[in-house]
Amino acid sequence: MWHLLALGCLFFPCLFILIQRSLQKNFPKLTDEDTVNISVRFVSSVQGFMAAFAGFIITSSCKHVMKDRHWISTDYVVFAAPYMAYDIYAMYLCHWFKHKAKDSNGLKTSSTNIVIDFLKKNFLIVLHHLTLLLICFPIVVYYRKGLGDFFLGCLFLAELSTPFVSFAKILKRFRKQNTLLYKVNGVILLATFFLCRILVFPYMYWAYGKQYGIPAHLVPFRIPLHCTFGNAMLMTPQVYWLSLIIGKAGKTVKVE
C-alpha cells in the first residue's frame, strides 16, 4: 500500500511540472499564470479519466453490489489520495498567480490576505477534498472490511465530468466562450455531470434494492443511517455545483 501512496505523491506533482515546462518551452508567449492554470487543468483531466476508467472496470466486474471485490478499488484510492492534497495546493497556486498579476498592475496584496481570499472563494471544494482525504480515505482503506467495491466504482465514475470542466476553463482563459467547441463541451459537461455526479446516487440505491429485492424508495430505511448520511454529504456539493453550471449556461444563452 505504501508504495502506491508514494507513487501518487510523485505522479501528480511531477506530471504538473512536466506539463508546465513543456508549455513554457513550446509556447513562450504564454504567461506564467496561463501555464500554471493549463497544467493544473491537465492534471485534473488525467486524474478524472483514470478514476472514471477504474470506476467502469469495477462496476462492470462486480455482480454482487456488496460482496464482490476488485483489486483496483482500494489500490486506486491509495494511489489517488495524494491528488487531493496536491489539488488544494494547485488551486492555491492558480489563485496566487492571479493576485500576482494584479500586483504587477500596482495592486499589492499580502500573503495572508491571499490565503484568506482563496479559502473564502474555494471553501466548498477545499472542504470536499479534505473530507475525502481525512474521512473517506481511512473508511475505504481500513473500516469497510472489503464490502461495497461496486459503490466505490460508482463514485469513481463521478470523475468523468472533470476533464470537461477543466477543458471549459482552459477555453474560457483563451476567450473562446463563443466558439462551437466551447458550446459542445458545455453540453457534454452538463450531461456527464448530471449523470455521473447526481443520478449516480439514486442509481446506487436502485442497484442495492435490485440486489436484495427491496423497492428503491425503501432502501434508505433498510441500510445503516450513516450510509445515507454519507451519500447526502457527498451529493450536496454536487447539486450546488450543478446549479452553478446551469447558471453559467443560462448566462451564455442570454448573451447570444
Side-chain angles (χ1 to χ4, degrees):
M1 182 181 75
W2 295 110
H3 71 283
L4 289 172
L5 192 65
L7 183 61
C9 289
L10 289 173
F11 178 77
F12 296 108
C14 288
L15 180 60
F16 168 80
I17 293 171
L18 179 65
I19 298 302
Q20 185 187 21
R21 291 185 176 179
S22 177
L23 288 171
Q24 290 172 337
K25 180 179 179 180
N26 295 294
F27 301 94
K29 292 184 178 180
L30 291 176
T31 65
D32 289 339
E33 184 183 4
D34 289 333
T35 59
V36 167
N37 274 273
I38 294 172
S39 301
V40 168
R41 302 306 172 193
F42 185 89
V43 176
S44 296
S45 299
V46 170
Q47 194 283 142
F49 278 126
M50 291 172 64
F53 182 65
F56 174 77
I57 293 175
I58 295 166
T59 53
S60 59
S61 300
C62 294
K63 305 306 178 184
H64 195 288
V65 299
M66 287 299 295
K67 298 179 181 179
D68 283 358
R69 302 290 313 276
H70 197 290
W71 63 269
I72 292 180
S73 301
T74 302
D75 283 6
Y76 188 77
V77 169
V78 174
F79 170 74
Y83 171 80
M84 299 303 163
Y86 150 81
D87 198 43
I88 292 175
Y89 174 74
M91 288 187 296
Y92 173 74
L93 195 61
C94 292
H95 191 76
W96 185 84
F97 268 99
K98 181 179 179 180
H99 276 276
K100 185 180 178 182
K102 291 181 179 179
D103 291 347
S104 64
N105 294 323
L107 300 174
K108 298 295 182 182
T109 308
S110 68
S111 298
T112 302
N113 287 336
I114 292 176
V115 172
I116 293 173
D117 187 54
F118 167 73
L119 291 176
K120 284 182 178 179
K121 293 182 178 178
N122 299 277
F123 175 78
L124 193 58
I125 185 93
V126 170
L127 179 63
H128 178 259
H129 279 26
L130 290 177
T131 300
L132 292 177
L133 183 61
L134 301 177
I135 298 176
C136 295
F137 175 78
I139 290 174
V140 169
V141 175
Y142 297 108
Y143 298 115
R144 68 188 180 100
K145 299 178 181 179
L147 296 175
D149 278 17
F150 172 83
F151 299 115
L152 192 58
C154 288
L155 295 177
F156 285 164
L157 285 172
E159 290 297 312
L160 183 61
S161 63
T162 301
F164 303 104
V165 173
S166 297
F167 191 48
K169 291 183 177 180
I170 292 174
L171 290 175
K172 187 176 180 180
R173 173 159 289 277
F174 289 103
R175 299 179 181 178
K176 301 294 184 180
Q177 298 97 313
N178 295 322
T179 63
L180 178 62
L181 180 60
Y182 185 85
K183 296 172 185 176
V184 171
N185 182 76
V187 172
I188 298 174
L189 164 59
L190 189 59
T192 54
F193 199 100
F194 181 69
L195 290 173
C196 299
R197 289 183 178 259
I198 304 297
L199 287 188
V200 69
F201 290 97
Y203 170 74
M204 289 191 289
Y205 283 99
W206 174 83
Y208 183 93
K210 182 181 179 182
Q211 184 78 64
Y212 290 98
I214 304 171
H217 66 281
L218 293 179
V219 171
F221 306 101
R222 303 289 182 85
I223 62 176
L225 180 61
H226 66 266
C227 294
T228 298
F229 178 75
N231 281 334
M233 290 292 290
L234 290 173
M235 185 177 179
T236 299
Q238 313 304 330
V239 174
Y240 172 71
W241 288 324
L242 178 64
S243 68
L244 295 181
I245 293 172
I246 293 174
K248 290 179 180 179
K251 289 180 181 179
T252 302
V253 172
K254 288 181 180 179
V255 169
E256 294 175 357

